Amino acid sequence: MTILVLQIIIKQWDKSERSEQHCAERAALAERHLLAKETAFYAFDKQCVIDQQGDDLMGDRLKFSQIDANTVQIDRFNISLGNKTLIYNNPDDEAGKPRLLGCLENSFIQCKYQWRYRVYEGGFYYWLYEELILNAINVASFEEDIFLKTEPNRVVLD
């Protein structure tokens, strides 16, 4: 039996943190981490380990569900538990078609995208900017350092 390992790293900032210095500081942050025992958890009948790292300024940022017996949805990503494929759904894509990123079977795929949210807090609206990084692989045995000792086979930027 294999296990799907997902690490989601979230970097969030507001308009006041868009300077060159702030951008450089965010760019210097790691895009892969040791899976954290404190935050990693099993999901979907223990077929998947999910580890969320980084910011979550609004709380409960990570949304995930099992669409059907074979498909898991996490944020903008659909993952087939059967054929171990990763699909990216971009809401800004004019064609509106999901994009197959590849097979995760012993293949580490990293996907990054930036987004912004309109947030109402303390009587004011503001933009909350975000970069999300998904590290994903399907392996025969779980190892906490899987993303540190392995280079991505594919890096996808959107």
Side-chain angles (χ1 to χ4, degrees), residues 52-106:
Q52 181 180 340
Q53 302 269 346
D55 302 321
D56 191 356
L57 300 177
M58 300 194 40
D60 198 29
R61 167 60 183 88
L62 184 60
K63 304 287 187 223
F64 60 92
S65 62
Q66 190 159 0
I67 297 172
D68 57 40
N70 191 45
T71 309
V72 171
Q73 183 174 33
I74 298 178
D75 200 51
R76 295 182 180 185
F77 304 96
N78 286 2
I79 302 161
S80 170
L81 297 173
N83 63 16
K84 314 297 190 239
T85 54
L86 178 64
I87 297 170
Y88 177 64
N89 301 296
N90 182 350
D92 292 335
D93 184 9
E94 292 180 17
K97 294 182 180 179
R99 187 169 77 188
L100 177 64
L101 300 182
C103 181
L104 297 171
E105 193 69 46
N106 294 311

Side-chain angles (χ1 to χ4, degrees), residues 21-138:
Q21 177 185 347
H22 288 105
C23 290
E25 288 170 0
R26 278 191 301 279
L29 295 173
E31 296 182 342
R32 300 182 283 157
H33 298 276
L34 186 69
L35 296 173
K37 291 180 181 179
E38 302 82 30
T39 58
F41 60 93
Y42 284 97
F44 312 113
D45 290 329
K46 295 192 176 188
Q47 296 180 76
C48 180
V49 172
I50 300 173
D51 179 38
Q52 181 180 340
Q53 302 269 346
D55 302 321
D56 191 356
L57 300 177
M58 300 194 40
D60 198 29
R61 167 60 183 88
L62 184 60
K63 304 287 187 223
F64 60 92
S65 62
Q66 190 159 0
I67 297 172
D68 57 40
N70 191 45
T71 309
V72 171
Q73 183 174 33
I74 298 178
D75 200 51
R76 295 182 180 185
F77 304 96
N78 286 2
I79 302 161
S80 170
L81 297 173
N83 63 16
K84 314 297 190 239
T85 54
L86 178 64
I87 297 170
Y88 177 64
N89 301 296
N90 182 350
D92 292 335
D93 184 9
E94 292 180 17
K97 294 182 180 179
R99 187 169 77 188
L100 177 64
L101 300 182
C103 181
L104 297 171
E105 193 69 46
N106 294 311
S107 180
F108 171 12
I109 297 177
Q110 183 179 74
C111 185
K112 306 176 201 179
Y113 71 84
Q114 289 190 0
W115 190 246
R116 68 180 182 174
Y117 302 90
R118 185 175 170 202
V119 175
Y120 182 76
E121 188 175 69
F124 297 96
Y125 285 100
Y126 70 94
W127 287 110
L128 179 63
Y129 297 88
E130 171 178 279
E131 179 181 46
L132 187 135
I133 301 166
L134 172 72
N135 296 320
I137 192 168
N138 193 80

